[in-house]
Amino acid sequence: GSQSLGHLTAIVDCNPVQAAGQYLEISRNQDLRAKFESFGWNAFYLSTVSVSSITAVINENMDSQKPVAILANTAEINNFETFRKKVKWHYESPSIEEIKKSLHDISSNYDFSELFNLFL
């Protein structure tokens, strides 16, 4: 119908660290996948996040009549050791050196063309 959300995909950062502590301590272990599904979404949890894992979920759900939620555990992305699982990055700014290192890690370890091509 005219209210169809079948072409909507949300990628949710399921990083276990929040500004005030660990997500599970604050949220009382809320099941985000069950919440999205209760509102009529197709929800997928990615414990290991990569461009290819995200692309696979998007490709597999191109014809979905429901919106799609990709719940991505971004804390396990290995190339961000400076920022991984540290509460302080929710209220501190990184130095220029830390930013440069992270940008280098991203550009040297990931090929985003496959993901970008989905939206061209």
Side-chain angles (χ1 to χ4, degrees), residues 84-101:
R84 258 179 75 163
K85 299 181 182 178
K86 295 180 180 137
V87 172
K88 74 177 191 172
W89 297 120
H90 289 270
Y91 55 84
E92 272 188 34
S93 297
S95 69
I96 296 297
E97 291 77 25
E98 290 165 330
I99 293 170
K100 285 180 181 178
K101 181 181 180 326

Side-chain angles (χ1 to χ4, degrees), residues 65-86:
Q65 298 301 306
K66 296 179 177 183
V68 174
I70 300 172
L71 310 173
N73 181 2
T74 58
E76 297 307 321
I77 296 175
N78 293 322
N79 296 326
F80 296 99
E81 290 304 318
T82 302
F83 304 112
R84 258 179 75 163
K85 299 181 182 178
K86 295 180 180 137

Side-chain angles (χ1 to χ4, degrees), residues 46-80:
L46 298 178
S47 59
T48 304
V49 178
S50 66
V51 171
S52 61
S53 65
I54 291 171
T55 303
V57 173
I58 292 171
N59 281 330
E60 290 166 9
N61 289 277
M62 283 288 197
D63 296 325
S64 175
Q65 298 301 306
K66 296 179 177 183
V68 174
I70 300 172
L71 310 173
N73 181 2
T74 58
E76 297 307 321
I77 296 175
N78 293 322
N79 296 326
F80 296 99

